[in-house]
Amino acid sequence: MAPSKKKHASNQPCVIPGGFTVLSLQFGSDSVAQHQLYVKEHKVRAEKCSHRPLDRTLFVLNIPPYCPEGVVKDLFSQFGSVQLVELRDHPGSFQESGPKLSRFFKPAAKQGFKVGYIVFHNSSSIKAAKSHPHDVPLVVSTEQRPVRTGVQKWIQAYTESFIQPDKLQQIVDSFMEDYDKRKEEEAEKQKEEAEQQQEDEEGWVKVTRGPKGTKARPHSEAANKKALQKEIRKKKRKELLNFYTWQHRNTQKEHIAELRKKFEEDKQRIALLRAQRKFKPY
């Protein structure tokens, strides 16, 4: 069968079912093998986080392990200025991180293919990335931006794992200063809530009206602790009686013995009254 003389359209984006655009990835300019990235505009109705604006965020699948955040940022910077790159093991909502930890105190990241969220400064960058030709691969390692692999990569990771004691002390001191500051803010907040929920001598609590349009706040932590302590004091006042079977049995025996004693006392009192009766009609 003679081959078809019809030429496929070149320099055109490749769109697959699901709305994903295929981008070719090539490690080096002289590499033969290519890797495929699947990009799509991030549109999730449940996404309420401002860190991923729906009109400027690109969702990327199948990011290889040799492409960390810095490399991914450089690759997609040709489509526009990149504001943020977030790589994760699985797609999901943005996780608000608490205190920022140094890389020396973070657990080792899992090695494998990642999913990414790339936030651009301009929404036009999304269109530029989706319209990139499929036949023009993105080159990962260049002379201006070399990416180490193999033994060189492990040597670099081993060298970077060491840290000077002075630098480590600075990181620890900075973290502890932030920690003390957060604790002081929490203590002041709890103190203010305790003052607001404080009862007067007659047991009344002062309730103030908040700004217009604000929803009613739930009970504060200080108020919950106070109510819990009050319940504990109530339980301590009450004596636990007849909890066990032997307690109930002993209580019944004591009650019967007391009734018998009272019955004998009443019999003696009646006999004494009969003996002292002086009225004799005949």
Side-chain angles (χ1 to χ4, degrees):
M1 183 176 180
S4 175
K5 296 182 179 180
K6 184 179 179 181
K7 294 183 179 180
H8 295 282
S10 59
N11 297 330
Q12 294 293 328
C14 178
V15 181
I16 62 175
F20 287 93
T21 302
V22 181
L23 297 181
S24 298
L25 193 67
Q26 191 172 334
F27 184 79
S29 57
D30 55 347
S31 300
V32 179
Q34 292 185 355
H35 184 78
Q36 309 299 328
L37 297 179
Y38 307 98
V39 301
K40 182 181 180 181
E41 188 175 357
H42 179 61
K43 290 184 178 180
V44 180
R45 294 182 180 179
E47 186 71 59
K48 298 180 180 179
C49 183
S50 60
H51 293 82
R52 296 178 185 169
L54 300 181
D55 58 335
R56 295 187 288 112
T57 305
L58 189 69
F59 178 57
V60 187
L61 289 176
N62 205 29
I63 299 177
Y66 52 82
C67 290
E69 291 184 0
V71 174
V72 174
K73 185 175 181 179
D74 292 337
L75 286 174
F76 284 88
S77 293
Q78 57 182 307
F79 305 119
S81 179
V82 177
Q83 177 182 347
L84 175 68
V85 174
E86 181 189 356
L87 300 183
R88 300 187 59 181
D89 296 329
H90 305 284
S93 59
F94 186 85
Q95 294 179 349
E96 291 287 348
S97 58
K100 292 184 178 180
L101 298 177
S102 172
R103 62 184 180 89
F104 300 101
F105 299 101
K106 291 181 181 178
K110 296 181 180 179
Q111 298 296 326
F113 290 86
K114 305 282 186 179
V115 298
Y117 297 89
I118 303 172
V119 182
F120 293 96
H121 284 95
N122 299 320
S123 58
S124 59
S125 302
I126 301 290
K127 186 176 179 181
K130 293 173 63 177
S131 60
H132 184 73
H134 174 65
D135 298 338
V136 181
L138 304 176
V139 181
V140 176
S141 180
T142 60
E143 294 181 358
Q144 296 79 13
R145 188 187 63 249
V147 177
R148 296 184 180 182
T149 58
V151 178
Q152 297 296 329
K153 179 182 177 181
W154 296 115
I155 292 175
Q156 182 183 4
Y158 178 75
T159 305
E160 292 177 352
S161 64
F162 292 95
I163 183 174
Q164 297 297 329
D166 297 339
K167 187 176 180 181
L168 180 61
Q169 187 64 42
Q170 292 178 1
I171 295 173
V172 174
D173 293 341
S174 177
F175 177 82
M176 292 307 299
E177 288 178 2
D178 295 339
Y179 177 79
D180 294 337
K181 186 177 180 180
R182 291 196 307 272
K183 283 297 181 182
E184 290 178 0
E185 292 176 355
E186 291 178 0
E188 291 179 359
K189 187 177 180 180
Q190 291 180 0
K191 186 178 179 180
E192 292 177 358
E193 291 180 351
E195 290 177 354
Q196 292 178 359
Q197 298 292 336
Q198 187 176 6
E199 298 179 356
D200 57 11
E201 296 178 356
E202 298 180 357
W204 294 93
V205 179
K206 183 179 179 182
V207 180
T208 57
R209 185 175 181 179
K212 186 176 181 181
T214 56
K215 296 182 179 179
R217 295 183 305 169
H219 292 290
S220 62
E221 187 176 356
N224 292 336
K225 287 183 179 179
K226 194 170 184 180
L228 183 61
Q229 291 175 357
K230 187 180 289 185
E231 290 295 329
I232 293 174
R233 287 196 297 268
K234 281 184 180 180
K235 289 182 180 180
K236 286 184 178 180
R237 291 196 204 102
K238 295 180 181 179
E239 295 182 0
L240 193 61
L241 298 176
N242 299 336
F243 182 76
Y244 298 102
T245 305
W246 62 271
Q247 286 182 338
H248 186 65
R249 190 182 302 114
N250 290 344
T251 304
Q252 285 183 341
K253 289 182 179 180
E254 292 175 359
H255 184 61
I256 292 173
E258 186 177 355
L259 290 177
R260 288 176 177 175
K261 182 180 179 182
K262 189 176 181 181
F263 178 71
E264 293 295 333
E265 291 176 354
D266 292 342
K267 283 176 63 177
Q268 293 177 5
R269 190 180 298 110
I270 291 172
L272 182 62
L273 290 175
R274 285 179 178 177
Q276 292 178 354
R277 186 170 59 183
K278 297 177 181 180
F279 177 70
K280 295 181 179 180
Y282 52 88

